[in-house]
């Protein structure tokens, strides 16, 4: 049944090139000459199918890789053999971590010597074909990926070819010598496969003797023989008894029996132990001079990438295909969709004009590249093409307004060292202890260093070389910088105004108002000013200035809003900034979407814009539906109706906005995903229907309508600083009601499973791992 559904999805894929109504259609792109061997577009090779989502080497993984990849995507099957001589597509020789063999056959564990090394586990050659196909299930071998789809049997190689007669296919035969030692011939089996499909595109092996024997078999065919290098250059090639490091210097010899080489990424762009890119090797240039193609493997969006890529998976693909020196002839990847997007949509766009007008709003500047709210973070955001740079205003003890990610200095500065004695617990602000800006003078804060913190530790920590660089920025300096750089707009975030006024004698609202006036931004019609707060009383203070846009910050994750509340929001705000995961609900805390919430549609009905925050590049922050790919997440947030993308990585959002595929009906189609499509298609409908999600959290007026701001208390400053007295009155202005109103919004039934329409079927198998943080 699933195979039939996937076939339908593939057919639907061919009909979806037209952009949505209202989007401009670009003229067809001119044919580009690449720096590959033959000047052709690099090939995308699906490593075992769409294995970033589904268990590798299964029919569903192959079908989805075909459907989701760009035209000409190649499907790679790793060939292994059963005891009775039938071939199967299996990722590893030892199938212990790629199937349920250990559970299904607990007594069949064996030990073999493979290329001089002892390997213990479960092996395909210890099972007859019927056992492999009927009793084993292929499992996701990378434990950080979902195991929800571990239900397919191994794919026989003859069935793999029959199912993909019109597709480009690749057979990787890694262990010819080992199987030969056990009276099984990979060579003879491939001969049989060539009778099924004469145009197998590629056959690869790390064994020279095998490839030389294959030469006579494929003579006269269009099949290319590829010599594969393992990750370990010190490993010994079984035919010559030479190390692969030695063979790497003998490309002219390899040319005598192979059309190309297949190498790990690090052979081309080495990575230091500290996880930084080193200068590229000459391997691609040397191979191309000899007429050898070069394919690189090991690409996956959920890898721990070198820091140079700032966790942007597309930047890694582009590093291999869109640099000024060379382009590899193909990339072998677990995520065909992302590789296809990089090659077809993003390559060559450094100086392209924007195709997507959606606002790009920074989150403390380019906080993914530099410590947040520093001069370097803001400069990087501007260089990356951001539309709106933001300042979360904090107040010092002596009344200086500055930009910092939070009022608690401990996450974003080095205050925890010298000022630990100032740590305090302030319940109106946060439940945890903190060192707060209002307890330090501006001079004391200047003695600290900024500190980059992205919410992830260990392998996903951000660039350690930039951890403490940059300078703190005052509000006035921030505004002058924005004017000097002619940034389209600024966002000023104001929180804790009532506490600062009544408990610290600090007038944050008055300070911001004065700073904006001094910068003449209250009269400037060329630059947008967005005033953001989670409190209506703060927003109400700025309603008299028509050039300002007021933004309500919905800090908590919510899932439903009524028409009445949406209209109440409109009284105080022109836009809301909300958690991206408030836009869709989650299935069983499995990192998969379940349903689209009503927030965007209802707020749009009330004429309130919606900005989705906070979009990060780290794969752990992206739901699996989006393929561990921030570009696909951004694309679909916009598709759901987001009017702006708030991100700590403006470079990623900016690169997406310049992609060459938007509006071009002849280009690769970046996929529109409906929340819930993956589980609706891939799981048993009964299992989905039985899921009882927790009640949706309603966003209500009590969450943001706050009392008028109190007057600023006359508190004596121990540093002799001046104080001010002011009063604050909250006023509300009724917004005109939209006409005609829709029926009253109703919360979705918690027992209702997502439904899918015809077009949605196509998109139903895209995913990546996520934990979220705003």
């Amino acid at each position: 049944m699933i195979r039939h559904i996937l076939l339908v999805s593939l057919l639907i894929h061919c009909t979806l090139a037209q952009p949505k109504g209202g989007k401009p259609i670009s003229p067809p792109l001119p044919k580009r000459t690449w720096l590959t061997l033959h000047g052709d577009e690099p090939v995308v090779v699906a490593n075992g199918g769409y294995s970033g989502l589904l268990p590798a080497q299964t029919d569903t993984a192959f079908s989805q890789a075909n459907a989701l990849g760009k035209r000409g995507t190649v499907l790679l099957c790793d060939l292994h053999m059963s005891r009775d001589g039938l071939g199967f597509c299996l990722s590893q020789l030892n199938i212990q971590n790629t199937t349920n063999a250990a559970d299904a056959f607990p007594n069949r564990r064996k030990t073999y010597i493979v290329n001089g090394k002892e390997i213990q586990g479960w092996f395909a050659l210890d099972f007859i074909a019927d056992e492999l196909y009927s009793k084993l299930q292929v499992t996701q071998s990378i434990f950080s990926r979902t195991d929800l789809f571990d239900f397919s049997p191994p794919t026989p190689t003859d069935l793999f070819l029959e199912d993909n007669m019109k597709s480009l296919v690749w057979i990787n035969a890694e262990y010819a010598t080992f199987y030969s030692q056990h009276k099984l011939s990979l060579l003879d089996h491939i001969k049989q496969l060539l009778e099924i499909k004469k145009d197998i595109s590629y056959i690869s092996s790390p064994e020279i003797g095998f490839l030389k024997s294959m030469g006579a078999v494929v003579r006269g065919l269009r099949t290319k023989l590829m010599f594969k290098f393992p990750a370990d250059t010190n490993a010994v090639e079984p035919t010559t008894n030479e190390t692969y490091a030695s063979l790497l210097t003998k490309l002219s010899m390899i040319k005598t029996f192979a059309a190309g080489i297949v190498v790990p990424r690090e052979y081309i762009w080495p990575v230091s132990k500290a996880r930084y890119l080193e200068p590229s090797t000459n391997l691609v240039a040397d191979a191309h001079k000899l007429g050898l193609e070069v394919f690189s493997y090991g690409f996956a969006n959920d890898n721990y990438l070198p820091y140079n890529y700032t966790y942007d998976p597309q930047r890694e693909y582009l590093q291999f295909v869109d640099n000024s020196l060379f382009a590899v002839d193909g990339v072998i990847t677990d995520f065909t969709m992302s590789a296809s997007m990089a090659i077809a949509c993003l390559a060559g766009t450094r100086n392209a004009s924007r195709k997507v007008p959606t606002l790009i709003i920074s989150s403390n500047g380019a906080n993914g590249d530099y410590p947040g709210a520093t001069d370097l973070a803001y400069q990087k955001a501007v260089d990356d093409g951001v539309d709106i740079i933001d300042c979360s205003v904090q107040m010092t003890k002596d009344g200086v307004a500055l930009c910092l990610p939070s009022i608690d200095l401990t996450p974003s500065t080095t205050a925890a060292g010298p000022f630990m004695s100032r740590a305090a617990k302030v319940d109106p602000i946060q439940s945890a202890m903190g060192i707060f800006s209002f307890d330090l003078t501006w001079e004391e804060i200047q003695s600290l260093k900024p500190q980059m913190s992205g919410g992830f530790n260990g392998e996903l920590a951000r660039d350690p070389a930039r951890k403490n660089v940059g300078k703190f920025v005052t509000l006035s300096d921030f505004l002058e910088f924005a004017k000097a750089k002619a940034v389209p707009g600024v966002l000023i975030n104001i929180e804790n105004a009532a506490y600062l006024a009544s408990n610290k004698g600090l007038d944050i609202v008055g300070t911001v108002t004065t700073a904006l006036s001094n910068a003449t931004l209250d009269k400037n019609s060329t630059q947008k000013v967005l005033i953001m707060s989670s409190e209506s009383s703060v927003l109400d203070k700025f309603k008299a200035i028509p050039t300002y846009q007021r933004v309500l910050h919905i800090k908590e994750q919510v899932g439903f809003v009524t028409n009445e509340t949406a209209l109440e929001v409109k009284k105080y705000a022109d836009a809301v900034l909300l958690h991206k995961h408030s836009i869709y609900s989650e299935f069983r805390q499995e990192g998969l979407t379940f349903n689209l919430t009503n927030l965007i549609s209802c707020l749009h009905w009330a004429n309130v814009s919606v900005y989705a925050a906070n979009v990060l590049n780290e794969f752990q922050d992206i739901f699996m539906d989006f393929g561990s790919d921030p570009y696909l997440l951004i694309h679909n947030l916009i598709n759901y109706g987001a009017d702006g993308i708030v991100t700590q990585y403006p470079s990623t959002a900016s690169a997406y906005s310049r992609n060459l595929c938007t509006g071009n009906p002849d280009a690769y189609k970046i996929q529109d995903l409906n929340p819930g499509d993956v589980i609706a298609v891939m799981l048993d409908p009964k299992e989905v229907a039985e899921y009882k999600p927790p009640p949706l959290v309603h966003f209500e007026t009590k969450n943001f309508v706050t009392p008028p701001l109190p007057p600023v208390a006359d508190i004596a400053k121990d540093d002799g600083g001046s104080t001010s007295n002011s009063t604050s009155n909250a006023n509300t202005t009724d917004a005109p009601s939209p006409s005609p109103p829709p029926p009253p919004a109703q919360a979705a039934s918690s027992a209702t499973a997502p439904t899918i329409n015809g077009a949605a079927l196509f998109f139903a198998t895209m995913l990546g791992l996520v934990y979220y943080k705003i």
Side-chain angles (χ1 to χ4, degrees):
M1 178 60 182
I2 289 177
R3 187 174 299 167
H4 287 90
I5 291 174
L6 293 171
L7 177 59
V8 171
S9 73
L10 179 57
L11 294 175
I12 292 170
H13 173 53
C14 302
T15 70
L16 292 175
Q18 290 293 337
K20 291 188 173 183
K23 293 184 180 179
I25 297 178
S26 303
L29 298 175
K31 182 174 174 58
R32 174 179 176 179
T33 300
W34 296 76
L35 295 178
T36 53
L37 178 60
H38 302 296
D40 298 327
E41 185 175 273
V43 175
V44 172
V45 182
N47 181 36
Y50 195 69
S51 52
L53 160 64
L54 302 161
Q57 315 283 343
T58 57
D59 60 349
T60 51
F62 287 127
S63 296
Q64 287 304 294
N66 222 351
L68 302 174
K70 72 183 183 71
R71 184 179 295 116
T73 293
V74 179
L75 308 179
L76 187 149
C77 163
D78 286 298
L79 172 61
H80 292 280
M81 299 195 72
S82 64
R83 190 170 68 215
D84 47 349
L86 273 72
F88 283 84
C89 299
L90 289 164
S91 296
Q92 299 174 14
L93 181 67
N94 180 358
I95 62 175
Q96 178 176 351
N97 291 329
T98 58
T99 72
N100 65 336
D103 294 328
F105 300 98
N107 299 320
R108 303 279 279 275
R109 185 172 181 169
K110 292 287 188 68
T111 300
Y112 288 105
I113 303 297
V114 183
N115 296 334
K117 294 183 178 180
E118 184 177 287
I119 299 179
Q120 192 174 74
W122 281 257
F123 300 82
L125 59 77
D126 291 322
F127 302 90
I128 62 173
D130 181 65
E131 290 176 313
L132 288 173
Y133 191 69
S134 64
K135 297 183 180 180
L136 287 188
Q137 292 180 340
V138 180
T139 59
Q140 180 59 262
S141 59
I142 297 178
F143 299 139
S144 60
R145 297 174 180 173
T146 182
D147 61 358
L148 279 178
F149 310 124
D150 293 355
F151 47 69
S152 297
T155 304
T157 51
D158 56 351
L159 184 59
F160 164 68
L161 294 182
E162 290 170 2
D163 282 352
N164 296 286
M165 292 300 290
K166 295 184 178 181
S167 303
L168 302 178
V169 297
W170 182 314
I171 301 295
N172 180 47
E174 295 239 351
Y175 297 98
T177 298
F178 170 75
Y179 280 110
S180 179
Q181 291 168 350
H182 296 277
K183 306 290 190 290
L184 294 168
S185 173
L186 297 187
L187 182 67
D188 289 344
H189 184 69
I190 292 178
K191 289 180 181 179
Q192 297 173 17
L193 296 180
L194 286 167
E195 293 178 4
I196 299 173
K197 184 176 173 63
K198 287 289 185 185
D199 56 348
I200 293 176
S201 301
Y202 302 90
I203 296 173
S204 60
S205 176
E207 298 188 10
I208 292 176
F210 172 79
L211 289 176
K212 287 184 174 180
S213 298
M214 281 300 312
V217 175
V218 301
R219 189 171 294 120
L221 303 178
R222 289 182 294 178
T223 302
K224 295 178 180 180
L225 299 180
M226 310 293 290
F227 183 55
K228 183 177 181 180
F229 284 83
D232 182 7
T233 56
N234 294 319
V236 176
E237 193 277 322
T239 307
T240 62
N241 287 323
E242 291 188 60
T243 65
Y244 287 96
S246 173
L247 293 172
L248 200 60
T249 67
K250 300 179 180 180
L251 295 180
S252 57
M253 181 270 290
I254 294 172
K255 175 61 179 172
T256 63
F257 62 85
I261 57 175
V262 186
V263 298
R265 299 165 300 155
E266 292 77 11
Y267 277 37
I268 298 170
W269 286 99
V271 178
S272 70
K273 291 183 179 179
R275 244 174 72 199
Y276 293 96
L277 284 180
E278 297 180 343
S280 64
T281 66
N282 295 323
L283 178 59
V284 177
D286 292 344
H288 281 177
K289 286 178 183 177
L290 294 170
L292 283 169
E293 294 184 11
V294 181
F295 282 68
S296 186
Y297 67 89
F299 292 90
N301 296 356
D302 48 4
N303 275 332
Y304 297 115
L305 300 175
Y307 294 115
N308 309 68
Y309 300 134
T310 57
Y311 299 109
D312 182 337
Q314 307 286 9
R315 288 183 62 182
E316 181 178 36
Y317 295 114
L318 295 174
Q319 185 83 359
F320 284 78
V321 303
D322 193 34
N323 64 73
S324 61
L325 302 174
F326 61 82
V328 297
D329 300 279
V331 294
I332 302 175
T333 175
D334 292 2
F335 293 86
T336 51
M337 189 165 42
S338 296
S340 297
M341 194 190 315
I343 293 170
C345 306
L346 299 173
T349 62
R350 289 183 182 89
N351 299 314
S353 59
R354 283 180 66 165
K355 308 292 190 299
V356 182
T358 305
L359 281 179
I360 301 172
I361 304 170
S362 73
S363 176
N364 300 300
N367 194 14
D369 296 278
Y370 292 100
T374 60
D375 59 337
L376 295 178
Y378 289 129
Q379 183 63 59
K380 182 66 166 59
V382 171
D383 293 343
D384 290 339
V386 76
D387 296 309
I388 308 289
I389 56 172
D390 68 304
C391 172
S392 291
V393 181
Q394 314 300 340
M395 300 294 292
T396 67
K397 185 176 182 178
D398 49 347
V400 175
L402 72 157
C403 304
L404 281 174
S406 72
I407 196 170
D408 181 0
L409 301 174
T410 51
S412 58
T413 76
T414 55
F419 294 108
M420 182 57 72
S421 61
R422 307 275 186 96
K425 189 170 183 290
V426 182
D427 288 329
I429 294 178
Q430 64 184 36
S431 59
M433 296 281 287
I435 301 172
F436 299 98
S437 66
F438 51 71
D439 285 333
L440 274 69
T441 65
W442 172 230
E443 183 179 3
E444 288 174 324
I445 289 178
Q446 286 181 296
S447 71
L448 304 174
K449 290 183 179 181
Q451 183 166 280
M452 184 156 57
S453 174
F456 297 94
N457 297 315
E459 297 291 344
L460 278 179
R462 292 176 178 171
D463 188 349
R466 295 177 174 178
K467 183 177 181 180
N468 299 115
V469 299
K471 297 178 181 178
F472 299 114
V473 176
T474 65
L475 174 60
S476 59
D477 287 342
F478 168 83
L479 296 175
E480 288 304 315
F481 170 82
K483 289 186 67 177
K485 297 297 180 179
V487 181
V490 296
L491 182 150
I492 307 300
N493 182 28
I494 303 172
E495 298 294 345
N496 306 301
Y499 176 84
L500 291 172
S502 59
N503 292 274
K504 298 297 176 180
L506 295 170
D507 183 8
I508 187 172
V509 170
T511 301
V512 168
T513 301
T514 301
L516 288 169
S517 179
N518 290 341
T520 68
L521 288 174
D522 56 339
K523 303 176 182 64
N524 192 334
S525 61
T526 60
Q527 287 180 295
K528 294 181 180 180
V529 175
L530 282 63
I531 303 294
M532 184 171 77
S533 180
S534 62
E535 302 170 354
S536 66
S537 53
V538 171
L539 297 177
D540 209 48
K541 284 291 187 177
F542 295 89
K543 71 177 181 179
I545 304 178
T547 56
Y548 291 175
Q549 181 186 81
R550 294 178 295 165
V551 181
L552 177 65
H553 185 186
I554 303 176
K555 290 185 174 182
E556 62 273 19
Q557 184 177 337
V558 295
F560 185 79
V561 63
T562 64
N563 297 333
E564 292 75 18
T565 300
L567 291 175
E568 194 71 15
V569 169
K570 181 59 181 175
K571 293 179 182 180
Y572 299 96
D574 307 292
V576 299
L577 185 148
L578 53 77
H579 198 297
K580 60 182 179 287
H581 297 321
S582 292
I583 296 172
Y584 39 78
S585 60
E586 185 178 7
F587 177 69
R588 277 190 346 204
Q589 296 186 323
E590 295 278 1
L592 294 162
T593 62
F594 182 63
N595 265 329
L596 191 67
T597 68
N598 81 325
L599 269 81
I600 289 182
S601 61
C602 197
L603 289 166
H604 277 178
W605 166 79
N607 198 27
V608 176
S609 298
V610 177
Y611 304 142
N614 192 339
V615 176
L616 308 181
N617 285 356
E618 286 90 345
F619 69 87
Q620 283 189 319
D621 194 63
I622 304 171
F623 273 175
M624 297 181 187
D625 307 61
F626 307 112
S628 301
D629 189 334
Y631 290 80
L632 194 62
L633 172 61
I634 291 169
H635 174 83
N636 280 284
L637 289 173
I638 294 171
N639 186 54
Y640 302 152
D643 303 287
I645 299 297
V646 182
T647 177
Q648 296 183 11
Y649 294 93
S651 61
T652 297
S654 180
Y656 167 78
S657 74
R658 300 190 307 273
N659 82 81
L660 301 177
C661 295
T662 294
N664 191 323
D666 298 320
Y668 172 76
K669 171 65 179 175
I670 302 175
Q671 309 307 332
D672 301 333
L673 305 173
N674 292 321
D677 282 352
V678 170
I679 59 171
V681 171
M682 297 304 300
L683 297 183
D684 183 337
K686 182 179 179 182
E687 181 180 358
V688 178
E690 289 177 349
Y691 170 58
K692 308 298 182 187
L696 294 173
V697 177
H698 287 223
F699 183 63
E700 301 174 329
T701 55
K702 66 180 181 181
N703 299 123
F704 68 94
V705 174
T706 51
L709 290 177
V712 177
D714 189 0
I715 298 175
K717 301 292 194 302
D718 58 15
D719 61 358
S722 62
T723 63
S724 63
N725 292 290
S726 65
T727 58
S728 173
N729 295 309
N731 298 307
T732 61
T733 302
D734 290 333
S737 297
S739 177
Q746 298 295 322
S749 168
S750 62
T752 302
T755 59
I756 52 173
N757 55 34
L761 286 171
F762 164 72
F763 305 117
T765 47
M766 286 161 270
L767 55 149
L769 173 66
V770 67
Y771 297 92
Y772 51 77
K773 175 182 172 63
I774 195 161

